[in-house]
């Protein structure tokens, strides 16, 4: 029986269903045949009557394997660059990005962290983690090409002062578990999680 991944309720209502849609919209195919035979799945948007959470009841996690080749590059868009600058300013209003460590979970190609670095902020350590990239260091930014999970936290030598999570939490099957991992990664006291989704902005301190 299907349950709400947040509260466990079985009081669910199907809102609408889309059949056989591409699993990924940001993966580029090298050949035509590869493109037309891309993996597909169903999207069954379901509302939990208890907590109000909306999720895909037909989500198949085995089909979603984020790896190198996942493409979400948007730096060529002036509107997107303006959006990134606005988001950085909003974070700065809550927690100044100086003399701290900031960890972005689901950093993609690192465009956001590079924008933060280009602000010339003083003594800020930037770390990005994402399974779709290789591990490397560029302009003082540490990129870790792996999943953000319990194993990653065991190897994380520096606990962040702030976690940045942009347009990612809506893609995970268990958002509550992800939030618990955020809490575990942060220092105790005075820490901040910044979440950005297609539906708005949110800070937790």
């Amino acid at each position: 029986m299907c349950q709400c991944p947040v509260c466990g309720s079985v009081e669910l209502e199907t809102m609408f269903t889309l059949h056989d849609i591409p699993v990924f919209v940001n993966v580029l195919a090298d050949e035509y045949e590869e493109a037309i035979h891309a993996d597909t799945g169903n999207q069954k948007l379901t509302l939990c009557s208890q907590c109000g959470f909306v999720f895909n009841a037909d989500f198949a996690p085995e089909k979603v394997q984020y790896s190198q080749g996942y493409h979400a590059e948007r730096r060529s868009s002036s509107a997107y660059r303006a959006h990134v600058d606005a988001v950085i300013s909003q974070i700065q209003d809550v927690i100044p990005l100086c003399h701290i460590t900031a960890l972005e979970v689901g950093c993609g190609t690192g465009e956001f962290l590079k924008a933060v670095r280009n602000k010339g902020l003083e003594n800020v350590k930037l770390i990005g983690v994402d399974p779709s990239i290789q591990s490397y260091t560029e302009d003082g930014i540490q990129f870790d090409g792996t999943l953000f999970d319990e194993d990653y936290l065991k190897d994380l030598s520096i606990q962040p002062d702030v976690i940045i999570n942009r347009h990612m939490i809506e893609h995970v099957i268990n958002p509550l578990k992800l939030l618990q991992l955020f809490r575990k990664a942060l220092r105790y006291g005075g820490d901040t999680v910044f979440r950005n989704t297609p539906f708005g902005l949110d800070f937790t301190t």
Side-chain angles (χ1 to χ4, degrees), residues 93-125:
D93 289 341
V94 176
I95 178 169
L97 294 174
C98 293
H99 304 286
I100 67 167
T101 297
L103 169 67
E104 184 179 12
V105 179
C107 67
T109 58
E111 58 189 27
F112 184 81
L113 293 178
K114 292 172 184 177
V116 173
R117 173 63 71 205
N118 289 339
K119 296 294 183 182
L121 302 172
E122 185 178 356
N123 195 25
V124 56
K125 181 173 179 58

Side-chain angles (χ1 to χ4, degrees), residues 86-98:
V87 170
I88 293 173
S89 294
Q90 288 175 309
I91 296 175
Q92 287 271 70
D93 289 341
V94 176
I95 178 169
L97 294 174
C98 293

